[in-house]
C-alpha cells in the first residue's frame, strides 16, 4: 500500500495540471478566434501547430517564473493527452464544442 502511495505521489509531483489546463484553454481560445475570423474550420495540422505555440508561450512564462524544466517537459507531454482523454470526453458528454457554441451564439 505504501508503494502505491509513493508511486501516486511521484506521478502527481511530476506534472503540473494547472499548466495542462492553461495550455488547453489557450489553444481553445486561439482556435476559436481563428475560426471566428476566417469563418471556416481550422485543419488538424493547424490545431497541432497552435497547440505547440501555446505550449511554447505558457512554458516560457513558467520558465521565467522559475518552474523546473523537467516538470515543464512532463507537463508539455501531458497537455495534449489531458485534452484527448480527459477534457474532450467531458465536453462531449455535456454537448460542448467550440463549433456548436459558435453556431449557438450567432
Amino acid at each position: 500500500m505504501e508503494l502505491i502511495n509513493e508511486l501516486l505521489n511521484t506521478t502527481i509531483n511530476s506534472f503540473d495540471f494547472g499548466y495542462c489546463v492553461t495550455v488547453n484553454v489557450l489553444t481553445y481560445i486561439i482556435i476559436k478566434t481563428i475560426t471566428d475570423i476566417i469563418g471556416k474550420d481550422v485543419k488538424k495540422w493547424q490545431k497541432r501547430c497552435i497547440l505547440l505555440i501555446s505550449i511554447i508561450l505558457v512554458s516560457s512564462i513558467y520558465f521565467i517564473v522559475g518552474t523546473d524544466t523537467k516538470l515543464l517537459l512532463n507537463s508539455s507531454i501531458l497537455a495534449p493527452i489531458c485534452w484527448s482523454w480527459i477534457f474532450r470526453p467531458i465536453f462531449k458528454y455535456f454537448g460542448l464544442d467550440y463549433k456548436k457554441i459558435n453556431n449557438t451564439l450567432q
Side-chain angles (χ1 to χ4, degrees):
M1 188 68 169
E2 190 174 316
L3 179 63
I4 292 173
N5 286 337
E6 184 65 32
L7 183 63
L8 286 174
N9 285 336
T10 303
T11 302
I12 289 171
N13 293 331
S14 297
F15 300 102
D16 185 342
F17 294 102
Y19 172 92
C20 296
V21 171
T22 304
V23 166
N24 284 305
V25 168
L26 180 61
T27 302
Y28 172 83
I29 290 170
I30 293 171
I31 290 172
K32 181 155 179 21
T33 303
I34 290 172
T35 302
D36 290 345
I37 290 171
I38 65 172
K40 57 183 177 179
D41 290 340
V42 178
K43 296 177 183 170
K44 185 180 271 190
W45 69 269
Q46 292 169 326
K47 290 178 184 178
R48 290 181 180 162
C49 289
I50 292 168
L51 173 67
L52 183 61
I53 291 168
S54 297
I55 288 172
I56 292 169
L57 288 172
V58 174
S59 294
S60 299
I61 293 169
Y62 270 67
F63 186 75
I64 290 170
V65 172
T67 304
D68 181 35
T69 307
K70 182 179 175 185
L71 181 72
L72 288 176
L73 182 61
N74 290 342
S75 300
S76 296
I77 294 168
L78 184 65
I81 295 169
C82 276
W83 170 252
S84 298
W85 289 54
I86 299 171
F87 303 133
R88 189 173 187 196
I90 293 171
F91 284 178
K92 281 191 175 188
Y93 177 78
F94 289 109
L96 298 174
D97 185 13
Y98 69 91
K99 294 176 192 174
K100 291 180 185 175
I101 292 171
N102 191 30
N103 292 337
T104 306
L105 294 176
Q106 292 179 347

